Amino acid sequence: MKKRIAILGSTGSIGTQSLEVILHNPDKFEVEVLTANNNVNLLIEQAKKVQPNAVVIANKQKYKQVADALSNEPVKVYAGADAINQVVQMESVDLVLTAMVGYSGLIPTYHAVKAGKNIALANKETLVVAGEIITKIAHEKKVEILPVDSEHSAIFQCLAGEFINPVEKIYITCSGGPFRGKTENELRNVTVNDALAHPNWEMGNKITIDSATLMNKGFEVIEAHWLFGLAPSKIDVIVHPESIVHSLVQFEDGSMKAQLGLPDMKLPIQYAIGFPYRIKNNYQRFNFLDYPTLHFEPPNTKIFRNLALAYETLDFGGNKPCILNAANEVVVDAFLKKKIGFLQMSETIEKALNNVAFIEKPSLDDLIETNAEARRVTKLLIED
Ligand code: MN3
């Protein structure tokens, strides 16, 4: 029985690598649905190659272009955000791999979980914004949320077979990004290109900036809180520049388990979609002689404020992490467009967190409103 997969965000970095993994294992997986935001050409190329049941282009203005190009293929073509919310519920879908960028992942994931679909989660913002709501429905519907994020995949792998043993602490490793060790003054004038040059991982622009500011790590702390049901005090971040140890779990006897491997997203992708099976492959193997020394150091949350802000919003709860995410998406976009400097990103986020009304028990609608309001407020702060 092949697992039939819907890839949301198939033209992005995780989407294309997921497709690679799936095409390597045609006996195990089948692509049922592909969705993309704007990248029409790649979506068409992918659809011709893998012949999914359906594709969705989120940007409705590009519907005709996709439909015309695929008119001779047995592929259904839809457009718009609502169509994405529909296709994830299709009976023929076994697993939904969520690889869209940012907040846009939330509502489709919500619909997929409600429809009882297992999730391979590559969109951490879903849990940052609405972790409580999503994990509650997932529990009710007996839906598995399988992490694609490499750190969470590592923790998930360390926990395999340990379900009766409480976790004392987890350590999420962090490469430190391109600006590890830099002073505040040095950071004042770094450029977009400097920030996009990640030392170890090849990723999309948004997450690469998030890695440089450590917001990505902050989001991962929140993601881990919801995925593994751990109090924030049990979640630690440790900087590990080589990105070989992907994270660690410490049990109540003090024993620690770690998961190691070369930094290649195809490994966590394949663990998530193949779970509970490990799939044989011929990817490059880790060689100790290439890495005779591995380094670890504490993160600097005074300079990289975003990580501290993420812990604060997690303690606060309610709609605070949603505000954090919305403000972050706006400032990252402004930084990429060279409207603000590197350090202004966390300064602006901090102001936004204090300028949007707090809701202690937000509904999904409250979060949708909070997201819109936080974006509005953050844009105003940037224009000031
Ligand atoms: Mn990660």
Side-chain angles (χ1 to χ4, degrees):
M1 283 289 280
K2 290 187 197 179
K3 221 179 259 181
R4 295 163 298 179
I5 302 178
I7 307 180
L8 310 188
S10 67
T11 58
S13 172
I14 296 290
T16 51
Q17 293 181 79
S18 302
L19 215 44
E20 236 181 282
V21 171
I22 291 169
L23 292 173
H24 264 118
N25 296 281
D27 54 322
K28 296 186 176 66
F29 308 116
E30 204 164 53
V31 178
E32 189 64 14
V33 174
L34 296 173
T35 82
N37 204 13
N38 265 308
N39 193 339
V40 178
N41 293 333
L42 184 54
L43 180 66
I44 292 166
E45 186 191 316
Q46 291 176 335
K48 284 185 174 170
K49 192 167 179 184
V50 305
Q51 304 274 312
N53 184 346
V55 300
V56 185
I57 181 82
N59 182 343
K60 282 186 176 172
Q61 288 167 351
K62 299 193 170 173
Y63 169 77
K64 194 177 177 319
Q65 200 185 338
V66 181
D68 287 351
L70 298 177
S71 59
N72 291 322
E73 313 283 340
V75 178
K76 297 181 196 98
V77 180
Y78 305 105
D82 284 342
I84 300 178
N85 300 338
Q86 297 291 321
V87 290
V88 295
Q89 304 180 48
M90 285 179 3
E91 208 172 317
S92 55
V93 169
D94 298 317
L95 177 76
V96 177
L97 192 150
T98 65
M100 311 89 118
V101 177
Y103 175 84
S104 66
L106 172 63
I107 304 299
T109 309
Y110 171 80
H111 284 285
V113 173
K114 270 213 127 170
K117 305 298 182 186
N118 286 336
I119 306 290
L121 187 84
N123 176 263
K124 67 193 79 182
E125 290 86 347
T126 294
L127 291 184
V128 172
V129 174
E132 186 158 11
I133 293 173
I134 295 289
T135 50
K136 185 165 173 268
I137 304 171
H139 186 77
E140 284 164 12
K141 299 277 178 185
K142 296 188 170 58
V143 158
E144 284 189 293
I145 299 182
L146 304 152
V148 171
D149 210 344
S150 60
E151 296 80 0
H152 304 74
S153 176
I155 293 160
F156 186 57
Q157 292 180 54
C158 292
L159 290 174
E162 298 279 5
F163 54 91
I164 49 167
N165 292 319
V167 169
E168 189 168 86
K169 192 164 233 176
I170 60 171
Y171 291 90
I172 301 179
T173 54
C174 168
S175 71
F179 302 142
R180 184 176 59 88
K182 283 219 188 304
T183 63
E184 207 162 329
N185 255 334
E186 289 170 320
L187 283 177
R188 209 163 292 281
N189 297 313
V190 294
T191 66
V192 171
N193 281 338
D194 296 335
L196 286 176
H198 196 278
N200 303 336
W201 294 97
E202 283 263 325
M203 305 176 290
N205 280 356
K206 200 254 173 186
I207 187 173
T208 304
I209 300 300
D210 285 345
S211 297
T213 64
L214 296 205
M215 185 57 95
N216 182 54
K217 212 46 58 178
F219 285 169
E220 288 180 354
V221 168
I222 301 175
E223 182 184 11
H225 165 73
W226 293 114
L227 277 177
F228 305 114
L230 294 171
S233 59
K234 292 186 169 186
I235 307 171
D236 250 13
V237 170
I238 185 84
V239 173
H240 164 46
E242 291 87 3
S243 297
I244 294 298
V245 179
H246 296 309
S247 280
L248 309 91
V249 175
Q250 179 179 312
F251 295 93
E252 288 185 323
D253 59 353
S255 185
M256 297 169 91
K257 283 164 90 174
Q259 188 262 337
L260 287 74
L262 291 170
D264 180 350
M265 281 310 295
K266 290 203 290 297
L267 292 176
I269 289 169
Q270 107 166 17
Y271 191 76
I273 67 174
F275 184 80
Y277 300 103
R278 291 188 181 274
I279 301 166
K280 190 172 172 165
N281 64 39
N282 56 5
Y283 303 152
Q284 198 193 335
R285 269 26 178 182
F286 174 77
N287 183 341
F288 281 96
L289 302 182
D290 293 337
Y291 295 87
T293 318
L294 297 176
H295 298 84
F296 300 91
E297 63 191 45
N300 186 336
T301 51
K302 286 216 171 66
I303 290 182
F304 296 93
R305 279 285 296 147
N306 283 351
L307 181 56
L309 290 175
Y311 272 104
E312 284 166 27
T313 62
L314 183 55
D315 281 336
F316 236 103
N319 65 341
K320 281 278 182 189
C322 174
I323 303 169
L324 179 79
N325 176 69
N328 183 60
E329 288 190 20
V330 173
V331 298
V332 169
D333 184 61
F335 176 71
L336 284 168
K337 289 177 177 153
K338 302 181 182 170
K339 286 184 194 164
I340 58 172
F342 188 82
L343 291 177
Q344 256 179 294
M345 286 193 276
S346 17
E347 289 163 16
T348 309
I349 292 168
E350 196 157 8
K351 285 184 198 152
L353 281 166
N354 294 323
N355 278 288
V356 178
F358 177 63
I359 305 173
E360 198 180 341
K361 281 260 164 220
S363 65
L364 189 66
D365 285 339
D366 290 333
L367 293 173
I368 292 169
E369 260 175 55
T370 297
N371 174 63
E373 174 64 5
R375 279 166 200 272
R376 195 185 64 80
V377 166
T378 312
K379 280 180 190 157
L380 286 176
L381 286 167
I382 287 171
E383 281 159 20
D384 268 357

